Amino acid sequence: MVENLVIIGSGPAGYTAAIYAGRAQLQPLVFEGFSAGGIPGGQLMTTTEVENYPGFAAGVQGPKLMQEMRQQAQRWGAKLIIDDAIAVDFSQYPFTLTSADTLEVKARAVIICTGATAKRLHLPGEEKFWNNGISACAICDGANPLFANADIAVVGGGDSAIEEALYLTKYARQVHLLVRSDRLRASKTMQNRVFNHTQIHIHWQTSPLSVDGDQVLRCVQVQDNRTGVIYNIAVSGLFYAIGHTPNTQLFQEQLELDEAGYIKTQGKSTATNIPGIWAAGDVQDHIYRQAITAAGTGCMAALEAERWLSEQRASLVSFAA
Ligand SMILES: Cc1cc2nc3c(=O)[nH]c(=O)nc-3n(C[C@H](O)[C@H](O)[C@H](O)COP(=O)(O)OP(=O)(O)OC[C@H]3O[C@@H](n4cnc5c(N)ncnc54)[C@H](O)[C@@H]3O)c2cc1C
């Protein structure tokens, strides 16, 4: 049997694609994942309060939001399987996908929503304060009352580290930018914005070693890489801005990826370089990386897949006639 549409991944992009495809009566099959590239439900399963997803005036817990999306996808006929896709063959049509439980599936269309994983440093003490002082997303967590008028550290020296540091100055008293080397990798314009900002203090050639606190984060221990001197910076927040890893290993030989490994999509669409395959969410977006943008592109991918499948069917009918 050939599936109409297989969706890989069950974050906001995957479930939204499943809801739209289900409503279009495609009966999509969703590999929700198990352990590759995150857990079923995606990145929001690892957070508490989501305050910026529209429709929840009082905020919503990440796992609750994902559970609602899952149930909505099921209600519209999506077939959900908690399993990782471990191999794909996009060179022959219909496409072939193999899951970890050795289920081999043929598909007329595929939407890839495998997301990305924020890089972490795994410092001693990090687990205790993850989501409770430590984060990898200033836009998601910066407005948390924990950080209001507090001192915060940001780790990184690229464009995203600078963006995060600048964004956090809206809330924090002081932002300590911890830069491993003696220069920033960001554009000159961005660098100047940081150099001229009175609330940002750059600690050059400095690496974080560990974090400490009680109920909440209280300090980050750092080392000056030039002198070896170790000291503490009192902070209520620590933000990692050291990059993300897109979950695209599976597609390396199959689809066009950019230099950072994100799936390339064409223009304003979610189409990849292979007709019949779309990519949505963080796996193709290194700029916005938000639940709402992932859901938005999941919707686009499902609509594009539905139109493409209809066109294929129409051309088969006219060919037969
Ligand atoms: C701690 C934290 C807090 C955040 N807070 C917010 C917030 O407040 N607001 C906001 O808008 N955004 C927030 N974000 C960002 C948001 O979670 C992401 O932008 C969003 O989840 C991306 O959705 P996605 O569907 O693209 O991928 P993901 O959520 O990353 O989901 C990817 C899915 O793919 C699956 N998968 C991966 N590989 C495979 C495979 N081989 N086979 C099958 N399945 C696979 C995974 O199991 C997972 O289900 C936060 C992120 C983190 C980490």
Side-chain angles (χ1 to χ4, degrees):
M1 181 182 151
V2 182
E3 299 289 337
N4 289 319
L5 174 65
V6 173
I7 297 168
I8 315 176
S10 60
Y15 284 144
T16 305
I19 292 164
Y20 275 78
R23 284 174 58 78
Q25 300 187 328
L26 291 176
Q27 297 174 307
L29 175 74
V30 183
F31 284 121
E32 294 183 280
F34 179 62
S35 61
I39 54 173
Q43 295 172 60
L44 288 185
M45 297 298 286
T46 67
T47 193
T48 49
E49 209 66 49
V50 178
E51 301 277 12
N52 53 9
Y53 199 85
F56 298 91
V60 56
Q61 295 284 306
K64 168 82 178 144
L65 177 61
M66 296 319 299
Q67 192 196 2
E68 292 285 336
M69 286 193 200
R70 185 177 199 271
Q71 285 173 357
Q72 199 174 352
Q74 251 174 339
R75 182 176 151 226
W76 289 106
K79 298 171 279 184
L80 307 178
I81 300 181
I82 298 182
D83 202 1
D84 291 323
I86 54 162
V88 293
D89 182 357
F90 297 154
S91 65
Q92 308 255 359
Y93 193 79
F95 308 118
T96 307
L97 299 95
T98 311
S99 80
D101 285 348
T102 61
L103 184 66
E104 194 180 277
V105 170
K106 298 273 180 207
R108 293 191 180 90
V110 176
I111 300 179
I112 299 168
C113 307
T114 48
T117 310
K119 290 183 189 160
R120 289 165 63 167
L121 291 175
H122 301 288
L123 300 175
E126 182 181 306
E127 258 342 294
K128 181 174 175 195
F129 299 108
W130 182 248
N131 279 328
N132 188 27
I134 305 183
S135 164
C137 177
I139 291 175
C140 310
D141 297 324
N144 188 319
L146 270 181
F147 308 130
N149 235 357
D151 278 29
I152 291 176
V154 173
V155 186
D159 275 313
S160 20
I162 291 185
E163 266 172 25
E164 302 260 304
L166 288 165
Y167 185 82
L168 288 167
T169 58
K170 291 183 212 289
Y171 310 104
R173 189 190 71 85
Q174 180 85 51
V175 176
H176 300 268
L177 185 59
L178 309 180
V179 183
R180 197 174 41 175
S181 72
D182 61 355
R183 68 187 66 114
L184 296 174
R185 282 175 288 106
S187 65
K188 275 274 168 277
T189 324
M190 290 295 275
Q191 293 196 26
N192 288 337
R193 287 182 64 197
V194 170
F195 293 150
N196 296 327
H197 206 298
T198 52
Q199 278 168 273
I200 299 179
H201 175 68
I202 304 182
H203 299 251
W204 295 110
Q205 298 188 53
T206 300
S207 303
L209 296 180
S210 65
V211 288
D212 204 358
D214 35 54
Q215 297 311 307
V216 290
L217 182 69
R218 298 280 175 202
C219 80
V220 54
Q221 186 182 60
V222 300
Q223 179 164 42
D224 184 320
N225 301 332
R226 294 159 292 195
T227 60
V229 170
I230 293 174
Y231 59 100
N232 287 338
I233 307 175
V235 291
S236 304
L238 176 67
F239 285 77
Y240 292 144
I242 51 175
H244 286 71
T245 308
N247 301 319
T248 52
Q249 252 177 332
L250 199 55
F251 313 111
Q252 263 165 16
E253 306 299 322
Q254 309 266 341
L255 288 174
E256 255 179 44
L257 309 179
D258 70 12
E259 52 295 340
Y262 289 85
I263 297 177
K264 281 191 183 176
T265 49
Q266 295 168 11
K268 285 186 180 172
S269 87
T270 58
T272 68
N273 62 309
I274 299 187
I277 302 185
W278 293 264
D282 286 14
V283 75
Q284 52 85 54
D285 166 28
H286 55 88
I287 299 174
Y288 303 108
R289 290 196 290 249
Q290 293 294 292
I292 186 66
T293 47
T297 50
C299 158
M300 287 166 63
L303 294 177
E304 288 170 24
E306 200 270 321
R307 279 172 205 154
W308 186 84
L309 285 166
S310 301
E311 282 162 20
Q312 298 297 305
R313 250 179 259 122
S315 61
L316 277 179
V317 169
S318 61
F319 182 72

